Amino acid sequence: MKHWQTKEQLTELLCSLVEHQSITGSNAEIALAEYMRHLLAQKKYFRDNPDYLKLHPLSDGRQLLTALVKNGSTSDTIILLSHFDVVGVEDYGSLENLAFYPRELTKEMKAIRGSLPEEVQRDLKTGDWLFGRGAMDMKAGVSLHFSMLERAIEGEFDGNILLLTVPDEEVNSMGMLTALPVLDQLKQEEQFTYTACLNGEPMFSKYPGDTNYYVYTGSIGKVLPGFYCYGKASHVGEPFAGINPNLMTGFLSQQLELNESFIEKIGDEVTPPPISLMQRDLKEEYSVQTPHAAIAMYNVLYLKQSFAEINKKLLAGAETAAREMEDYIRLKAGRFAEVADDFTMPDSRVNVMMYDELYAEAVQRHGVKEVERRENLLVSQRNSGDRDFSTLLVQELAAMCKDLAPMIILFYSPPFYPAVSSYDDAKIQDVMDYVKTYTNKQFNKNLTVAEFFTGLSDLSFIGPDTSQSKLQQLTTNMPLQNNGFDFPEDVMEQLTMPILNIGPLGKDPHQWTERLELTYSFDYLPDILTEAIHRLFAN
């Protein structure tokens, strides 16, 4: 018996998934994985084949879910990829307690409609939108994949369907990184040929009021560079006796924030310039001593640039910031000398280094065993997240080489998303052309094929890399690599396959007005996805 095929059935399933408040890192994230397994375990197919339905643990106790439906002895297999974690709900304000109850929240939105943005008011009038955290991003996609799994059980497809839904996509993608060896093991044990990976992320508008219906053949890339600024502390009464790291981050910001040299345009896709995600000093308490160090991290998105090109631009920005800061300090010291008798200030050069250079310097001075001992001690006492712990590892090395201060150290933290694309893949082009024609003829909707999904997705770890660049320069400058985090480049190379993203229609991801349009998403899209899967198996 099918339970997840009609618009009403899918809406009911979606609401039950949303009601599990699976904020990344919460206990509800674990509970939802177990709930989804419970739902699928009711199917006779999985009662007869219990080994095809599995929860797989992450290193921290969270779990990802796989559900396999085999069709005869064929090796052709399509992966249906999704994530089930969501971002927090602090932005909902007084509506926070309704954020995970879509029907009730939608009613409340109607009640306060006059105070909402005009576009939200227009959508509410149609009566075809459902509000709630995760309704759009991306539990609707999970629901649709459950629908496809039911059709697979009924023998709809000429190949195997492997549902993969993971936690932690919204933070570090540890769910997908953990899934890679699981997929590889399945491939070896079952002798699978992975035909394609079909993601169900919702379509993202490119601008306010965008009415296009998008499907995607790839996913945008992201790196998270950090700059550890090690200055020289001084009393506030003697500002020229030291170098304030807050000044360093200020000059870095001038060089990197919104820097147009990082912008890429491929077709209609344009990446935004870098923007700061973190900028603060590392002083833990107030005193009249200036901070000794500060940290700045930047969001850098890319399409087809190589990692080496990005790194070169970041390093150049740091070098320019250092030289301009030196000039600024000399200028201000000269002005001070005009007033203060007998004041002189020696020149102080700011060193700019990569993390691997600092590491080599620490090893040369103290030996590899001492460096590893200190790192291991920090790892054993770790109580902070990836970004803060990365900073702490750099700080330890900098302290071992403090005579090199003032210095700016460029390093990288998770998450890292390679840019991937199957836009030029003949099979994917054929499928997208077919799906466009089918959707227009059947539902009078025009689909627009975009090369890159710009919302970041786990497709980055399974699709063809657009830059074709080796990532060693990144991993050797990632303090967490081999210190609690391993980027599985070798497994990624073995598992690369064609990718595409066909997902539901929604608006305002990660906002308190997040909502899902129900007719396209749950009336039309199940058939569109079915046709896409048929076409993938036919090629």
Side-chain angles (χ1 to χ4, degrees), residues 250-275:
F251 274 89
L252 270 172
S253 182
Q254 287 185 335
Q255 291 301 315
L256 296 175
E257 188 91 5
L258 307 180
N259 186 325
E260 66 277 4
S261 71
F262 289 85
I263 297 172
E264 272 187 278
K265 183 175 183 181
I266 306 294
D268 293 330
E269 299 294 341
V270 179
T271 60
I275 191 166

PDB file of all heavy atoms in Angstrom, residues 250-275:
ATOM      1  N   GLY A 250      41.527  44.948  10.880  1.00  0.00           N
ATOM      2  CA  GLY A 250      40.905  46.072  10.190  1.00  0.00           C
ATOM      3  C   GLY A 250      41.460  46.257   8.793  1.00  0.00           C
ATOM      4  O   GLY A 250      40.705  46.455   7.825  1.00  0.00           O
ATOM      5  N   PHE A 251      42.777  46.169   8.657  1.00  0.00           N
ATOM      6  CA  PHE A 251      43.385  46.312   7.333  1.00  0.00           C
ATOM      7  C   PHE A 251      43.080  45.092   6.456  1.00  0.00           C
ATOM      8  O   PHE A 251      42.913  45.222   5.239  1.00  0.00           O
ATOM      9  CB  PHE A 251      44.897  46.521   7.472  1.00  0.00           C
ATOM     10  CG  PHE A 251      45.270  47.960   7.684  1.00  0.00           C
ATOM     11  CD1 PHE A 251      45.333  48.496   8.963  1.00  0.00           C
ATOM     12  CD2 PHE A 251      45.527  48.790   6.611  1.00  0.00           C
ATOM     13  CE1 PHE A 251      45.660  49.824   9.167  1.00  0.00           C
ATOM     14  CE2 PHE A 251      45.852  50.122   6.790  1.00  0.00           C
ATOM     15  CZ  PHE A 251      45.913  50.651   8.077  1.00  0.00           C
ATOM     16  N   LEU A 252      43.000  43.907   7.079  1.00  0.00           N
ATOM     17  CA  LEU A 252      42.593  42.718   6.323  1.00  0.00           C
ATOM     18  C   LEU A 252      41.190  42.894   5.752  1.00  0.00           C
ATOM     19  O   LEU A 252      40.925  42.550   4.596  1.00  0.00           O
ATOM     20  CB  LEU A 252      42.624  41.480   7.226  1.00  0.00           C
ATOM     21  CG  LEU A 252      43.909  40.681   7.309  1.00  0.00           C
ATOM     22  CD1 LEU A 252      43.789  39.633   8.404  1.00  0.00           C
ATOM     23  CD2 LEU A 252      44.245  40.027   5.981  1.00  0.00           C
ATOM     24  N   SER A 253      40.310  43.424   6.573  1.00  0.00           N
ATOM     25  CA  SER A 253      38.927  43.627   6.137  1.00  0.00           C
ATOM     26  C   SER A 253      38.857  44.549   4.928  1.00  0.00           C
ATOM     27  O   SER A 253      38.091  44.312   3.982  1.00  0.00           O
ATOM     28  CB  SER A 253      38.102  44.205   7.289  1.00  0.00           C
ATOM     29  OG  SER A 253      36.752  44.365   6.909  1.00  0.00           O
ATOM     30  N   GLN A 254      39.687  45.599   4.916  1.00  0.00           N
ATOM     31  CA  GLN A 254      39.702  46.517   3.776  1.00  0.00           C
ATOM     32  C   GLN A 254      40.139  45.809   2.491  1.00  0.00           C
ATOM     33  O   GLN A 254      39.676  46.135   1.397  1.00  0.00           O
ATOM     34  CB  GLN A 254      40.649  47.687   4.060  1.00  0.00           C
ATOM     35  CG  GLN A 254      40.097  48.683   5.068  1.00  0.00           C
ATOM     36  CD  GLN A 254      41.023  49.878   5.230  1.00  0.00           C
ATOM     37  OE1 GLN A 254      42.225  49.790   4.982  1.00  0.00           O
ATOM     38  NE2 GLN A 254      40.462  50.996   5.653  1.00  0.00           N
ATOM     39  N   GLN A 255      41.022  44.823   2.623  1.00  0.00           N
ATOM     40  CA  GLN A 255      41.531  44.123   1.446  1.00  0.00           C
ATOM     41  C   GLN A 255      40.609  43.004   0.962  1.00  0.00           C
ATOM     42  O   GLN A 255      40.535  42.733  -0.239  1.00  0.00           O
ATOM     43  CB  GLN A 255      42.919  43.533   1.743  1.00  0.00           C
ATOM     44  CG  GLN A 255      44.005  44.581   1.909  1.00  0.00           C
ATOM     45  CD  GLN A 255      44.148  45.447   0.661  1.00  0.00           C
ATOM     46  OE1 GLN A 255      44.161  44.952  -0.462  1.00  0.00           O
ATOM     47  NE2 GLN A 255      44.232  46.751   0.878  1.00  0.00           N
ATOM     48  N   LEU A 256      39.917  42.335   1.887  1.00  0.00           N
ATOM     49  CA  LEU A 256      39.190  41.123   1.514  1.00  0.00           C
ATOM     50  C   LEU A 256      37.682  41.300   1.449  1.00  0.00           C
ATOM     51  O   LEU A 256      37.023  40.684   0.601  1.00  0.00           O
ATOM     52  CB  LEU A 256      39.534  40.000   2.503  1.00  0.00           C
ATOM     53  CG  LEU A 256      41.001  39.557   2.487  1.00  0.00           C
ATOM     54  CD1 LEU A 256      41.253  38.529   3.574  1.00  0.00           C
ATOM     55  CD2 LEU A 256      41.397  38.998   1.133  1.00  0.00           C
ATOM     56  N   GLU A 257      37.119  42.091   2.344  1.00  0.00           N
ATOM     57  CA  GLU A 257      35.666  42.250   2.360  1.00  0.00           C
ATOM     58  C   GLU A 257      35.179  42.840   1.034  1.00  0.00           C
ATOM     59  O   GLU A 257      35.607  43.910   0.620  1.00  0.00           O
ATOM     60  CB  GLU A 257      35.263  43.160   3.527  1.00  0.00           C
ATOM     61  CG  GLU A 257      33.780  43.249   3.754  1.00  0.00           C
ATOM     62  CD  GLU A 257      33.252  42.209   4.741  1.00  0.00           C
ATOM     63  OE1 GLU A 257      34.067  41.473   5.320  1.00  0.00           O
ATOM     64  OE2 GLU A 257      32.030  42.143   4.909  1.00  0.00           O
ATOM     65  N   LEU A 258      34.310  42.100   0.335  1.00  0.00           N
ATOM     66  CA  LEU A 258      33.703  42.518  -0.934  1.00  0.00           C
ATOM     67  C   LEU A 258      34.727  42.701  -2.059  1.00  0.00           C
ATOM     68  O   LEU A 258      34.456  43.394  -3.039  1.00  0.00           O
ATOM     69  CB  LEU A 258      32.903  43.824  -0.743  1.00  0.00           C
ATOM     70  CG  LEU A 258      31.860  43.818   0.380  1.00  0.00           C
ATOM     71  CD1 LEU A 258      31.146  45.167   0.455  1.00  0.00           C
ATOM     72  CD2 LEU A 258      30.844  42.701   0.176  1.00  0.00           C
ATOM     73  N   ASN A 259      35.864  42.046  -1.954  1.00  0.00           N
ATOM     74  CA  ASN A 259      36.925  42.166  -2.964  1.00  0.00           C
ATOM     75  C   ASN A 259      36.455  41.579  -4.298  1.00  0.00           C
ATOM     76  O   ASN A 259      36.175  40.390  -4.410  1.00  0.00           O
ATOM     77  CB  ASN A 259      38.182  41.429  -2.466  1.00  0.00           C
ATOM     78  CG  ASN A 259      39.377  41.635  -3.385  1.00  0.00           C
ATOM     79  OD1 ASN A 259      39.246  41.725  -4.600  1.00  0.00           O
ATOM     80  ND2 ASN A 259      40.550  41.694  -2.796  1.00  0.00           N
ATOM     81  N   GLU A 260      36.410  42.436  -5.317  1.00  0.00           N
ATOM     82  CA  GLU A 260      35.850  42.034  -6.609  1.00  0.00           C
ATOM     83  C   GLU A 260      36.723  41.041  -7.367  1.00  0.00           C
ATOM     84  O   GLU A 260      36.243  40.374  -8.307  1.00  0.00           O
ATOM     85  CB  GLU A 260      35.605  43.267  -7.490  1.00  0.00           C
ATOM     86  CG  GLU A 260      36.847  44.012  -7.936  1.00  0.00           C
ATOM     87  CD  GLU A 260      37.370  44.987  -6.894  1.00  0.00           C
ATOM     88  OE1 GLU A 260      36.806  45.033  -5.775  1.00  0.00           O
ATOM     89  OE2 GLU A 260      38.348  45.701  -7.192  1.00  0.00           O
ATOM     90  N   SER A 261      37.987  40.886  -6.986  1.00  0.00           N
ATOM     91  CA  SER A 261      38.854  39.970  -7.730  1.00  0.00           C
ATOM     92  C   SER A 261      38.437  38.503  -7.532  1.00  0.00           C
ATOM     93  O   SER A 261      38.840  37.628  -8.302  1.00  0.00           O
ATOM     94  CB  SER A 261      40.314  40.150  -7.312  1.00  0.00           C
ATOM     95  OG  SER A 261      40.544  39.651  -6.009  1.00  0.00           O
ATOM     96  N   PHE A 262      37.635  38.226  -6.519  1.00  0.00           N
ATOM     97  CA  PHE A 262      37.180  36.859  -6.267  1.00  0.00           C
ATOM     98  C   PHE A 262      35.904  36.522  -7.033  1.00  0.00           C
ATOM     99  O   PHE A 262      35.508  35.365  -7.095  1.00  0.00           O
ATOM    100  CB  PHE A 262      36.922  36.660  -4.764  1.00  0.00           C
ATOM    101  CG  PHE A 262      38.169  36.625  -3.927  1.00  0.00           C
ATOM    102  CD1 PHE A 262      38.742  37.805  -3.471  1.00  0.00           C
ATOM    103  CD2 PHE A 262      38.763  35.425  -3.583  1.00  0.00           C
ATOM    104  CE1 PHE A 262      39.887  37.787  -2.682  1.00  0.00           C
ATOM    105  CE2 PHE A 262      39.909  35.388  -2.796  1.00  0.00           C
ATOM    106  CZ  PHE A 262      40.472  36.577  -2.354  1.00  0.00           C
ATOM    107  N   ILE A 263      35.239  37.527  -7.599  1.00  0.00           N
ATOM    108  CA  ILE A 263      33.953  37.301  -8.268  1.00  0.00           C
ATOM    109  C   ILE A 263      34.158  36.484  -9.540  1.00  0.00           C
ATOM    110  O   ILE A 263      35.059  36.743 -10.326  1.00  0.00           O
ATOM    111  CB  ILE A 263      33.275  38.644  -8.599  1.00  0.00           C
ATOM    112  CG1 ILE A 263      32.947  39.415  -7.314  1.00  0.00           C
ATOM    113  CG2 ILE A 263      32.006  38.415  -9.416  1.00  0.00           C
ATOM    114  CD1 ILE A 263      32.449  40.824  -7.570  1.00  0.00           C
ATOM    115  N   GLU A 264      33.308  35.487  -9.729  1.00  0.00           N
ATOM    116  CA  GLU A 264      33.325  34.678 -10.949  1.00  0.00           C
ATOM    117  C   GLU A 264      31.966  34.763 -11.631  1.00  0.00           C
ATOM    118  O   GLU A 264      30.935  34.800 -10.961  1.00  0.00           O
ATOM    119  CB  GLU A 264      33.574  33.207 -10.610  1.00  0.00           C
ATOM    120  CG  GLU A 264      35.003  32.789 -10.523  1.00  0.00           C
ATOM    121  CD  GLU A 264      35.090  31.274 -10.353  1.00  0.00           C
ATOM    122  OE1 GLU A 264      34.932  30.798  -9.220  1.00  0.00           O
ATOM    123  OE2 GLU A 264      35.318  30.580 -11.363  1.00  0.00           O
ATOM    124  N   LYS A 265      31.976  34.740 -12.947  1.00  0.00           N
ATOM    125  CA  LYS A 265      30.732  34.646 -13.710  1.00  0.00           C
ATOM    126  C   LYS A 265      30.843  33.517 -14.716  1.00  0.00           C
ATOM    127  O   LYS A 265      31.713  33.521 -15.583  1.00  0.00           O
ATOM    128  CB  LYS A 265      30.419  35.964 -14.433  1.00  0.00           C
ATOM    129  CG  LYS A 265      29.084  35.909 -15.179  1.00  0.00           C
ATOM    130  CD  LYS A 265      28.693  37.248 -15.797  1.00  0.00           C
ATOM    131  CE  LYS A 265      27.316  37.138 -16.462  1.00  0.00           C
ATOM    132  NZ  LYS A 265      26.904  38.410 -17.092  1.00  0.00           N
ATOM    133  N   ILE A 266      29.977  32.534 -14.584  1.00  0.00           N
ATOM    134  CA  ILE A 266      29.903  31.409 -15.513  1.00  0.00           C
ATOM    135  C   ILE A 266      28.467  31.343 -16.011  1.00  0.00           C
ATOM    136  O   ILE A 266      27.553  31.028 -15.261  1.00  0.00           O
ATOM    137  CB  ILE A 266      30.284  30.078 -14.833  1.00  0.00           C
ATOM    138  CG1 ILE A 266      31.666  30.168 -14.161  1.00  0.00           C
ATOM    139  CG2 ILE A 266      30.226  28.940 -15.838  1.00  0.00           C
ATOM    140  CD1 ILE A 266      32.813  30.338 -15.118  1.00  0.00           C
ATOM    141  N   GLY A 267      28.246  31.667 -17.283  1.00  0.00           N
ATOM    142  CA  GLY A 267      26.886  31.741 -17.799  1.00  0.00           C
ATOM    143  C   GLY A 267      26.128  32.838 -17.073  1.00  0.00           C
ATOM    144  O   GLY A 267      26.574  33.990 -17.028  1.00  0.00           O
ATOM    145  N   ASP A 268      25.008  32.494 -16.467  1.00  0.00           N
ATOM    146  CA  ASP A 268      24.220  33.465 -15.707  1.00  0.00           C
ATOM    147  C   ASP A 268      24.567  33.469 -14.227  1.00  0.00           C
ATOM    148  O   ASP A 268      24.020  34.260 -13.462  1.00  0.00           O
ATOM    149  CB  ASP A 268      22.720  33.170 -15.857  1.00  0.00           C
ATOM    150  CG  ASP A 268      22.235  33.410 -17.274  1.00  0.00           C
ATOM    151  OD1 ASP A 268      22.816  34.274 -17.951  1.00  0.00           O
ATOM    152  OD2 ASP A 268      21.283  32.715 -17.700  1.00  0.00           O
ATOM    153  N   GLU A 269      25.471  32.560 -13.809  1.00  0.00           N
ATOM    154  CA  GLU A 269      25.813  32.463 -12.390  1.00  0.00           C
ATOM    155  C   GLU A 269      26.939  33.435 -12.051  1.00  0.00           C
ATOM    156  O   GLU A 269      27.966  33.478 -12.733  1.00  0.00           O
ATOM    157  CB  GLU A 269      26.254  31.041 -12.033  1.00  0.00           C
ATOM    158  CG  GLU A 269      25.186  29.991 -12.261  1.00  0.00           C
ATOM    159  CD  GLU A 269      23.997  30.158 -11.347  1.00  0.00           C
ATOM    160  OE1 GLU A 269      24.112  30.844 -10.309  1.00  0.00           O
ATOM    161  OE2 GLU A 269      22.920  29.614 -11.673  1.00  0.00           O
ATOM    162  N   VAL A 270      26.761  34.205 -10.990  1.00  0.00           N
ATOM    163  CA  VAL A 270      27.779  35.140 -10.509  1.00  0.00           C
ATOM    164  C   VAL A 270      27.983  34.899  -9.021  1.00  0.00           C
ATOM    165  O   VAL A 270      27.012  34.892  -8.248  1.00  0.00           O
ATOM    166  CB  VAL A 270      27.354  36.605 -10.736  1.00  0.00           C
ATOM    167  CG1 VAL A 270      28.423  37.556 -10.214  1.00  0.00           C
ATOM    168  CG2 VAL A 270      27.082  36.864 -12.211  1.00  0.00           C
ATOM    169  N   THR A 271      29.217  34.686  -8.614  1.00  0.00           N
ATOM    170  CA  THR A 271      29.473  34.475  -7.191  1.00  0.00           C
ATOM    171  C   THR A 271      29.541  35.815  -6.471  1.00  0.00           C
ATOM    172  O   THR A 271      30.083  36.787  -7.003  1.00  0.00           O
ATOM    173  CB  THR A 271      30.798  33.739  -6.960  1.00  0.00           C
ATOM    174  OG1 THR A 271      31.879  34.521  -7.504  1.00  0.00           O
ATOM    175  CG2 THR A 271      30.791  32.377  -7.622  1.00  0.00           C
ATOM    176  N   PRO A 272      29.028  35.876  -5.261  1.00  0.00           N
ATOM    177  CA  PRO A 272      29.205  37.094  -4.467  1.00  0.00           C
ATOM    178  C   PRO A 272      30.655  37.199  -3.996  1.00  0.00           C
ATOM    179  O   PRO A 272      31.352  36.191  -3.905  1.00  0.00           O
ATOM    180  CB  PRO A 272      28.256  36.888  -3.283  1.00  0.00           C
ATOM    181  CG  PRO A 272      28.121  35.407  -3.166  1.00  0.00           C
ATOM    182  CD  PRO A 272      28.232  34.864  -4.558  1.00  0.00           C
ATOM    183  N   PRO A 273      31.121  38.406  -3.693  1.00  0.00           N
ATOM    184  CA  PRO A 273      32.495  38.561  -3.205  1.00  0.00           C
ATOM    185  C   PRO A 273      32.614  38.074  -1.757  1.00  0.00           C
ATOM    186  O   PRO A 273      31.599  37.810  -1.097  1.00  0.00           O
ATOM    187  CB  PRO A 273      32.723  40.071  -3.302  1.00  0.00           C
ATOM    188  CG  PRO A 273      31.357  40.665  -3.168  1.00  0.00           C
ATOM    189  CD  PRO A 273      30.425  39.693  -3.833  1.00  0.00           C
ATOM    190  N   PRO A 274      33.837  37.936  -1.247  1.00  0.00           N
ATOM    191  CA  PRO A 274      34.029  37.461   0.130  1.00  0.00           C
ATOM    192  C   PRO A 274      33.370  38.388   1.147  1.00  0.00           C
ATOM    193  O   PRO A 274      33.259  39.598   0.932  1.00  0.00           O
ATOM    194  CB  PRO A 274      35.551  37.480   0.301  1.00  0.00           C
ATOM    195  CG  PRO A 274      36.106  37.441  -1.077  1.00  0.00           C
ATOM    196  CD  PRO A 274      35.121  38.173  -1.933  1.00  0.00           C
ATOM    197  N   ILE A 275      32.958  37.783   2.251  1.00  0.00           N
ATOM    198  CA  ILE A 275      32.386  38.564   3.344  1.00  0.00           C
ATOM    199  C   ILE A 275      32.824  37.937   4.668  1.00  0.00           C
ATOM    200  O   ILE A 275      32.979  36.715   4.762  1.00  0.00           O
ATOM    201  CB  ILE A 275      30.849  38.626   3.237  1.00  0.00           C
ATOM    202  CG1 ILE A 275      30.279  39.651   4.211  1.00  0.00           C
ATOM    203  CG2 ILE A 275      30.220  37.261   3.437  1.00  0.00           C
ATOM    204  CD1 ILE A 275      28.828  40.003   3.938  1.00  0.00           C
TER     205      ILE A 275
END
